[in-house]
Amino acid sequence: MPVINKHYLTKSRFTLLFLIMISFFIISVNAEAKKLFFDKHKKIVVLDPGHGGHDRGAHGPEGTYEKTVTLTLARMIATELGDKYRVFLIRTDDYQLDISERTSLANHQKADLFISIHTGGSFLHQAGGMTVYYYKEILQKKLLRETADKGKLKNSYDLIPWDDLQKRHKPASKTLAKLMEHHLNEKIKYIETGIEGMPLIVLSGVDMPAILIEIGYLTNPLEEKKMLDAKVLADLTKAISNGIDDFLLKKQ
Ligand SMILES: [Zn+2]
């Protein structure tokens, strides 16, 4: 039997182990770098669940709050979209944010689209229906920017009235609204989805294609029931996700 130097064996084993460890390290660093690269080039979707905290929004005859429905649905859409896009939720839990905070958070993401989720509310129980809104300015009323103190103005956004930021995305926002209307009507059959241009403040300062979806009237007993139905929420999730896919694919 050949005589093997024990010391040599230990040393070569150590070298082999070291090389294996280095290889794993290089592979994992490479995978991480690739992930970062692809994440950086992913489209960014911003979802804004309406209301929150002491601002409960509309509430239904059964006691359902709008803030709860909007957060549930936004979370479901984020899960459905998975890691296809970088998805950013403006509100992740039950707390209050004012409109300027929502707008700033959205613009900070430099996202590819913005969807604010709400329900309708009316004193008339029979009022109902689903609507996709895009921003449409009115001539009589000029929306004021939220920042009163000009001395604190830091970026170029502050030099442009807030409604101008959304105005320049109007054609894209309208396209997004039309696609969303189509997908909602395709998937949701119990209610009609319409489309409308409105001077909504939550959309006015958003510097990207933006819409607001009112997923029915919470004050309507039938529509409240539907908003609590897991199958309906799943269909809404699918329809809105399809609308997002459709818009972002067309945009490329
Ligand atoms: Zn609302």
Side-chain angles (χ1 to χ4, degrees), residues 95-114:
Y95 50 85
Q96 201 257 336
L97 283 171
D98 62 33
I99 287 176
S100 61
E101 283 173 299
R102 289 172 197 264
T103 308
S104 303
L105 284 167
N107 288 346
H108 185 71
Q109 293 300 315
K110 297 189 174 21
D112 295 277
L113 67 85
F114 172 93

Side-chain angles (χ1 to χ4, degrees), residues 10 13 20 22 102 104 125 195 200 220 239:
T10 313
R13 270 187 191 154
I20 290 170
I22 286 285
R102 289 172 197 264
S104 303
H125 278 188
I195 181 173
L200 297 170
N220 178 314

Side-chain angles (χ1 to χ4, degrees), residues 51 66 118-119:
H51 311 277
E66 180 179 357
H118 286 257
T119 76

Side-chain angles (χ1 to χ4, degrees), residues 221-233:
L222 174 74
E223 293 184 14
E224 180 190 26
K225 270 197 183 71
K226 293 286 187 187
M227 284 180 221
L228 297 172
D229 183 327
K231 164 86 172 71
V232 171
L233 284 171

Side-chain angles (χ1 to χ4, degrees), residues 15-35:
T15 311
L16 185 64
L17 189 67
F18 179 72
L19 285 173
I20 290 170
M21 280 168 68
I22 286 285
S23 314
F24 274 122
F25 178 72
I26 291 170
I27 290 167
S28 70
V29 166
N30 207 11
E32 192 58 30
K34 268 186 191 162
K35 189 180 174 306

Side-chain angles (χ1 to χ4, degrees), residues 143-163:
L143 290 169
L144 296 173
R145 59 175 163 237
E146 303 279 333
T147 314
D149 185 355
K150 285 184 184 175
K152 288 181 186 161
L153 303 183
K154 283 189 191 110
N155 58 44
S156 58
Y157 290 143
D158 300 317
L159 303 173
I160 307 167
W162 278 40
D163 56 340

